[in-house]
Amino acid sequence: MPPTPATPPSEAAPLRPPLTIKMQARDNVAIVANDGGLPAGTVLADGLALRDRVPQGHKVALADIAAGSPVLRYGIPIGHAVSDIPAGSWVHERLLKMPDARGLEGLPVATVRPAAPAPLDGHTFEGYRNADGSVGTRNILAITQTVQCVAGVTDFAVQRIRAELLPKYPHVDDVVALEHSYGCGVAIDAPDAVVPIRTLRNISLNPNFGGEVMVVSLGCEKLQPERLLPPGSFSIVDERSVADVGADAEAALDVVCLQDDAHVGFMSMVESILRQAETHLARLNARRRETVPASELVVGVQCGGSDAFSGVTANPAVGFCTDLLVRAGASVMFSETTEVRDGIDQLTARASTPEVAEAMIREMAWYDAYLQRGRVDRSANTTPGNKKGGLSNIVEKAMGSIVKSGSAPITGVLAPGEKLQSRGLTYAATPASDFICGTLQTAAGMNLHVFTTGRGTPYGLAAVPVIKVATRSDLARRWHDLMDVNAGTIADGTATIEQVGWELFHLMLDVASGRRKTWAEHWKLHNALVLFNPAPVT
Ligand code: CA
């Protein structure tokens, strides 16, 4: 079924009464919800008159805020006033001094003990069961590359595979080349090189690729195929090879090496890739979807192009859905270290055990040091678009970002590029960069991606369906054929966080089952895999 517009485009236009949203009772600012913002002189429901024009998503002072006093949103100081701010003023970023980052010592550890929520049973989807127990939501042939040098040849071959082979294998959804910039010209033995290498390895093993691992190598590169995928790191279900060499033998890695003496001419390389691809396509084509419990979902949540509504509409709805998924026994990852760093005390408090809290602190400390090496801090995160959308600084952005993680205990922590091993809610440490976060969550084994956006981004991934959630109805209206869910209805007052959360949950089961495509899939919008390489380049 093709996607449906995120929302019936509202005929809108009737002038709506002034609408502001305050997150917590003690907040001394609220954000303006009206499309186009509100002009100076507007009188709010409580009688407060605006002294300035306040753009949509931006903050208005609800009370006089003296210079040096905290500006409170989400019940916490998102900054301190640099001068007196009279009630009714537009509280823009230049009026705020950002608080210092919370230290990583003396944090509350595993202090929040929510009552175990009722299990959510009976929800299923149609997925592809893999030999290793994981479940795919798509049936895709991936061609792994050891090094960027082979990208052009592989891409040429992939275009021919799409045109000549895929029509013969109708149960295979697509063929994708796992192109990346790594593999040579890098300090391959640097301690941090483990991050990009395990990321590439684990992406090759993503559940949507059905356990079929096929590699194109150049020959002379630093990242040799055996280093990328050492024996035992993967298993190929190929009865013939097992019968030939005995069940105890390691599965042989299927590698097409371009510098191999056997290749004479470019077409020889291309034909070799096509020949190998066909054996994998035949096996993938024999697979069928089967009914599996919702607990087999491995969902990565992320936001990008955020605005002040992200933390009011889309992210809380995603957080509600995260809780539903955890209750259903599924796996959910939240990430974006610089966007959760300012809420570290909330996160360590929600850790299920002291070990989980310590692992989170370790990842944050590593990232603090990484940023320090580049002589920046977490304030480098916010973008001009974030600020235009009303987010003054990273503290305000972080409070709105963390709500994607819902309220469940945090039971797991992953370092960048590691593969997820447990169910429940996991903090997968990644940069906030949309492409790098998506790449690392793909490596972790994500089979479905949820992405919220306020400013708007056409983000998509080739390997995993991406469900995009708009934070504002205006964005959902203008980008009606790019956004899958409109959470702006929450700010409009026409839907609740719970309703949008359930809508998202049911859409996830439909998309996972292949019954629905996302708009990014429909238009084939794919961003590049972007590796996180904290190690030196040579
Ligand atoms: Ca992001």
Side-chain angles (χ1 to χ4, degrees):
M1 191 193 291
T4 50
T7 183
S10 68
E11 299 310 318
L15 266 185
R16 300 187 47 220
L19 181 62
T20 56
I21 302 175
K22 180 173 160 177
M23 296 307 290
Q24 296 211 1
R26 63 189 294 243
D27 291 357
N28 53 13
V29 293
I31 63 164
V32 167
N34 300 73
D35 283 350
L38 291 173
T42 304
V43 179
L44 303 181
D46 63 359
L48 178 66
L50 298 188
R51 296 169 59 93
D52 308 304
R53 189 186 90 80
V54 182
Q56 186 190 36
H58 283 248
K59 294 174 286 294
V60 53
L62 300 175
D64 292 335
I65 304 172
S69 302
V71 172
L72 300 169
R73 190 171 175 225
Y74 297 101
I76 64 127
I78 58 167
H80 292 84
V82 296
S83 57
D84 290 341
I85 305 175
S89 302
W90 174 21
V91 184
H92 50 74
E93 55 167 291
R94 297 177 301 284
L95 290 177
L96 294 189
K97 181 179 179 298
M98 187 167 81
D100 292 334
R102 174 76 161 89
L104 294 176
E105 299 80 34
L107 291 161
V109 168
T111 48
V112 177
R113 298 283 168 144
L120 184 63
D121 295 325
H123 295 278
T124 62
F125 70 100
E126 304 298 308
Y128 292 100
R129 181 73 77 176
N130 295 316
D132 67 358
S134 68
V135 171
T137 59
R138 296 292 181 268
N139 192 28
I140 297 170
L141 172 63
I143 302 184
T144 299
Q145 302 172 39
T146 52
V147 65
Q148 166 64 210
C149 311
V150 304
V153 175
T154 310
D155 182 57
F156 188 95
V158 162
Q159 290 183 42
R160 277 193 53 189
I161 293 168
R162 283 218 180 92
E164 297 169 30
L165 298 184
L166 268 190
K168 294 198 283 178
Y169 302 100
H171 295 285
V172 181
D173 291 314
D174 201 1
V175 52
V176 302
L178 302 180
E179 184 185 345
H180 59 83
S181 58
Y182 198 71
C184 214
V186 292
I188 198 89
D189 293 318
D192 289 338
V194 67
V195 174
I197 296 173
R198 74 181 169 212
T199 302
L200 282 173
R201 174 183 309 141
N202 289 331
I203 287 176
S204 305
L205 306 175
N206 182 279
N208 284 359
F209 302 148
E212 297 291 335
V213 178
M214 165 178 178
V215 180
V216 177
S217 149
L218 180 63
C220 59
E221 67 272 29
K222 285 182 179 163
L223 184 56
Q224 289 287 305
E226 303 72 33
R227 182 158 187 172
L228 177 59
L229 288 150
S233 68
F234 65 99
S235 60
I236 292 180
V237 191
D238 182 349
E239 296 76 6
R240 289 161 307 170
S241 66
V242 171
D244 287 348
V245 296
D248 295 335
E250 301 282 1
L253 189 58
D254 177 8
V255 181
V256 174
C257 176
L258 302 191
Q259 290 172 351
D260 200 319
D261 291 342
H263 292 307
V264 178
F266 172 54
M267 279 307 152
S268 165
M269 303 170 191
V270 173
E271 293 297 341
S272 179
I273 295 172
L274 261 65
R275 203 163 44 243
Q276 292 308 112
E278 191 144 22
T279 66
H280 297 284
L281 286 171
R283 283 199 292 267
L284 289 171
N285 196 55
R287 288 150 46 90
R288 294 294 180 271
R289 291 185 182 271
E290 57 186 275
T291 304
V292 297
S295 58
E296 298 295 354
L297 286 175
V298 182
V299 178
V301 300
Q302 207 203 148
C303 48
S306 297
D307 65 4
F309 284 96
S310 298
V312 176
T313 59
N315 291 352
V318 168
F320 182 84
C321 188
T322 293
D323 286 347
L324 295 178
L325 289 163
V326 172
R327 284 174 56 197
S331 311
V332 183
M333 290 177 278
F334 70 102
S335 299
E336 305 178 290
T337 297
T338 50
E339 288 175 13
V340 298
R341 174 65 180 81
D342 280 282
I344 179 68
D345 48 345
Q346 300 173 28
L347 299 178
T348 52
R350 283 171 58 196
S352 61
T353 65
E355 291 72 29
V356 168
E358 280 161 23
M360 269 193 279
I361 293 167
R362 193 168 58 237
E363 290 303 326
M364 303 272 176
W366 184 93
Y367 212 89
D368 282 356
Y370 165 75
L371 291 177
Q372 219 162 30
R373 286 209 300 276
R375 301 195 180 192
V376 293
D377 62 24
R378 79 237 199 264
S379 67
N381 175 300
T382 37
T383 66
N386 290 155
K387 291 181 175 176
K388 200 171 172 215
L391 292 174
S392 293
N393 58 39
I394 187 59
V395 181
E396 183 175 19
K397 188 172 172 181
M399 293 308 122
S401 175
I402 285 175
V403 296
K404 297 196 298 297
S405 68
S407 61
I410 300 162
T411 49
V413 177
L414 285 186
E418 284 184 338
K419 195 171 169 61
L420 192 62
Q421 307 288 355
S422 59
R423 293 181 197 272
L425 181 62
T426 291
Y427 167 57
T430 79
S433 156
D434 298 348
F435 334 104
I436 298 181
C437 173
T439 297
L440 291 170
Q441 289 184 341
T442 303
M446 161 171 82
N447 58 20
L448 198 61
H449 200 18
V450 174
F451 190 100
T452 68
T453 182
R455 306 293 300 164
T457 159
Y459 173 86
L461 293 174
V464 182
V466 179
I467 297 175
K468 288 205 293 297
V469 184
T471 71
R472 294 175 297 127
S473 290
D474 180 55
L475 176 68
R477 178 183 59 77
R478 289 184 293 112
W479 288 33
H480 58 89
D481 50 5
L482 288 166
M483 294 291 135
D484 300 291
V485 174
N486 176 20
T489 50
I490 296 166
D492 299 343
T494 56
T496 63
I497 287 169
E498 292 77 9
Q499 284 168 335
V500 177
W502 274 109
E503 177 192 349
L504 180 59
F505 181 78
H506 289 297
L507 178 63
M508 288 167 92
L509 296 175
D510 283 347
V511 169
S513 302
R515 288 189 290 265
R516 287 272 295 274
K517 280 187 172 179
T518 66
W519 280 110
E521 286 185 291
H522 177 78
W523 300 120
K524 300 191 190 305
L525 303 181
H526 304 151
N527 288 103
L529 292 179
V530 182
L531 293 176
F532 181 39
N533 179 22
V537 171
T538 61

